[in-house]
Amino acid sequence: MAIATPPGVGALGVVRLSGPDAIPLTAALVKSPAAIDAQPSHTARRVRILDPGTGAPIDDALCTIMRAPRSYTGDDVVERSCHGGAALLAMVVERVCRAGARLAAPGEFTRRAFLNGRIDLARAEAGALLINARTERAVSLAARALEGELGARLGGLREALLDLVAGLEVSLDFPDDGVGVDVDDARAHTEALVRDVEALRAAARRGRLVHDGITIALVGRPNAGKSSLLNALLGRARAIVAPTPGTTRDVVEGVVEIAGVPVRLLDTAGLGTPGDAIEAEGMKRSQAAVDESDLVIVVVDGRVARADADLERTLIGRRALVVRSKSDLGAHPDAEALGDAIAVSSMTGAGLPALRAAIAQEIAAIVASNDDEGQVAASLRQSEGLAKISRALATGAGALGVVPLEAVLIDLREALGATSELLGLDLGEAVLDRIFSTFCVGK
Ligand SMILES: Nc1nc2c(ncn2[C@@H]2O[C@H](COP(=O)(O)OP(=O)(O)OP(=O)(O)O)[C@@H](O)[C@H]2O)c(=O)[nH]1
Ligand SMILES: [Mg+2]
């Protein structure tokens, strides 16, 4: 049993009970015109929840019953929609516990669903992604995974690998009979699987960018207007702005949504010659922010003439947009000559839509496509698993025909094992513990 709604006060608070005793335990605590035990599956009834000790009423609630196996967990499930008060819900939970229920661990309902074969592991993880999605786009991606998209693709891969391994085993056992698969065919087949997995991995990587978002570092000379731009993009005064150069000394973060993707903006200390040890440390952090970002916005003070050669050095090989700041003050001819710079005034907001559009374009390039087909929602564990499969398969493909089949089969079996693991087949308790402990209570 657990409270399935977030902590705090709300119109409703749902207490979810699952297990063979869910219905009798509920019956002992509620008073309703018709007996709860006889309530048909997938129906809701208005009930009064009573304190079993005193018989005093606790709440007026709606009780929904879903009988096994047609429930979220696959066991009998009772969901009580109570009024959403923290003390009230705690009381309900305490009374049900006293009657013999046990508090659920984080993710335990979903774990039961998985163990009861209601969902595969890929879908269980999609549920967690859906709950944690921060933008509409991430929601729709996770919703597709919840429909079983990744699970289906992994299932297909597992079937193909089973065929391949079985075929090679036969060739190994009966080398002269011409049965099993031919080594050249097997290599071609394995290479095709590597390409499939790589495509899936790339889609998962892009899916993770949609889910987690991208990071953009704002860099430039001291006083260029970086912090002002951060504030303008966020629509609030997140960072301190001052006419003194060297105002920002640490990395200041803010998150904004652009093109349906969460964008983490990092405002950094100005780059140049540090005046003191603190500034030097600030610049080191700026460099680290640049290193971890997917895109850099170079802010050039529109009123100042200067060659930003050292900045360019910092940015070698980085995806970058150039912003010419303070456009409301007019531009120095040198700054104006920066051809591809986007003129922005953080003061008036002029140029901000153009900057957002340019960022959106960069996001589209980073996420590879703006339509959702090229992306798959995947958890970190799934991304790592795909990398493992791909490595083992590539090693196997390279080894086929070169080293003895026994050795090749070790790699292919490893790929098969990693695929099964992603689907949640043959998983040990310890791994399940780790996966489901990242879920929230009540899920
Ligand atoms: N008129 C005008 N002034 C601006 C604009 N953007 C920034 N400023 C001014 O320029 C000065 C520096 O702005 P900041 O945003 O603090 O610049 P910074 O790049 O973060 O500076 P450091 O943190 O010191 O590296 C402040 O006095 C701002 O008010 C703008 O678009 N228009
Ligand atoms: Mg600043």
Side-chain angles (χ1 to χ4, degrees):
M1 174 204 31
I3 300 171
T5 38
V9 177
L12 293 177
V14 174
V15 177
R16 186 188 247 177
L17 255 120
S18 172
D21 294 333
I23 295 171
L25 276 177
T26 305
L29 253 81
V30 304
K31 199 171 159 199
S32 70
I36 287 287
D37 312 58
Q39 185 178 322
S41 188
H42 294 76
T43 58
R45 293 275 186 279
R46 186 174 169 187
V47 299
R48 289 172 76 210
I49 300 178
L50 303 176
D51 187 328
T54 62
I58 299 179
D59 195 12
D60 194 352
L62 198 66
C63 177
T64 312
I65 287 187
M66 286 142 290
R67 292 180 195 273
R70 285 179 53 228
S71 72
Y72 181 68
T73 60
D75 299 324
D76 283 348
V77 169
V78 178
E79 284 177 4
R80 261 179 275 187
S81 296
C82 305
H83 289 94
L88 158 67
L89 290 174
M91 261 173 94
V92 173
V93 165
E94 196 271 336
R95 302 302 190 273
V96 184
C97 270
R98 221 192 287 161
R102 173 178 68 74
L103 280 178
E108 192 170 349
F109 294 123
T110 309
R111 183 178 182 147
R112 291 295 311 162
F114 165 67
L115 291 173
N116 282 334
R118 295 289 290 169
I119 48 172
D120 65 28
L121 198 58
R123 278 168 73 172
E125 284 177 273
L129 288 173
L130 186 58
I131 287 176
N132 292 315
R134 288 179 291 175
T135 63
E136 270 192 32
R137 204 164 157 189
V139 166
S140 68
L141 203 60
R144 266 173 36 206
L146 200 61
E147 297 282 305
E149 185 187 36
L150 182 61
R153 287 174 78 168
L154 287 171
L157 172 66
R158 184 167 178 274
E159 288 300 315
L161 274 170
L162 277 172
D163 283 347
L164 183 67
V165 169
L168 287 172
E169 300 263 14
V170 173
S171 311
L172 191 64
D173 291 342
F174 307 99
D176 306 319
D177 297 354
V179 291
V181 284
D182 173 71
V183 167
D184 288 334
D185 286 350
R187 191 186 315 108
H189 192 173
T190 312
E191 281 164 357
L193 289 179
V194 172
R195 283 192 294 276
D196 286 353
V197 175
E198 276 305 303
L200 191 55
R201 258 187 90 191
R205 204 176 307 126
R206 295 190 290 261
R208 284 213 68 73
L209 281 172
V210 171
H211 185 83
D212 292 344
I214 67 158
T215 301
I216 299 180
L218 303 175
V219 298
R221 303 264 182 187
N223 225 30
K226 303 176 294 297
S227 301
S228 304
L229 184 60
L230 172 84
N231 293 346
L233 283 170
L234 293 178
R236 67 194 165 95
R238 172 75 182 85
I240 299 172
V241 166
T244 359
T247 305
T248 308
R249 302 195 152 202
D250 216 334
V251 176
V252 182
E253 281 195 45
V255 176
V256 67
E257 184 184 325
I258 298 177
V261 170
V263 173
R264 187 168 149 244
L265 293 168
L266 304 178
D267 173 31
T268 63
L271 296 170
T273 319
D276 59 31
I278 302 176
E279 244 181 303
E281 176 59 27
M283 287 181 197
K284 223 165 87 190
R285 290 180 184 208
S286 302
Q287 184 60 54
V290 168
D291 290 342
E292 71 164 289
S293 62
D294 304 290
L295 174 68
V296 174
I297 294 180
V298 184
V299 184
V300 179
D301 193 328
R303 297 166 312 163
V304 181
R306 197 156 38 199
D308 276 332
D310 55 344
L311 264 186
E312 276 160 28
R313 263 199 300 281
T314 321
L315 300 172
I316 283 177
R318 309 293 312 185
R319 231 169 220 289
L321 290 174
V322 180
V323 163
R324 174 161 65 72
S325 68
K326 311 183 191 179
S327 66
D328 55 294
L329 298 177
H332 187 282
D334 287 1
E336 209 165 14
L338 285 168
D340 54 355
I342 302 162
V344 172
S345 167
S346 303
M347 200 79 102
T348 65
L352 279 177
L355 175 59
R356 280 203 199 89
I359 295 173
Q361 222 170 51
E362 292 291 328
I363 290 174
I366 294 168
V367 184
S369 65
N370 234 339
D371 67 73
D372 289 336
E373 287 314 306
Q375 298 131 36
V376 159
S379 69
L380 203 57
R381 186 189 84 93
Q382 289 165 335
S383 301
E384 284 167 3
L386 285 172
K388 196 167 148 191
I389 298 168
S390 169
R391 265 197 312 273
L393 271 180
T395 316
L400 264 165
V402 182
V403 303
L405 265 189
E406 285 93 334
V408 178
L409 275 164
I410 294 178
D411 292 318
L412 296 183
R413 277 205 212 91
E414 189 183 327
L416 180 59
T419 311
S420 302
E421 214 172 90
L422 279 190
L423 282 164
L425 306 166
D426 324 318
L427 270 192
E429 283 293 306
V431 179
L432 287 181
D433 280 349
R434 240 189 48 202
I435 295 168
F436 288 105
S437 64
T438 64
F439 285 47
C440 45
V441 173
K443 179 63 190 158

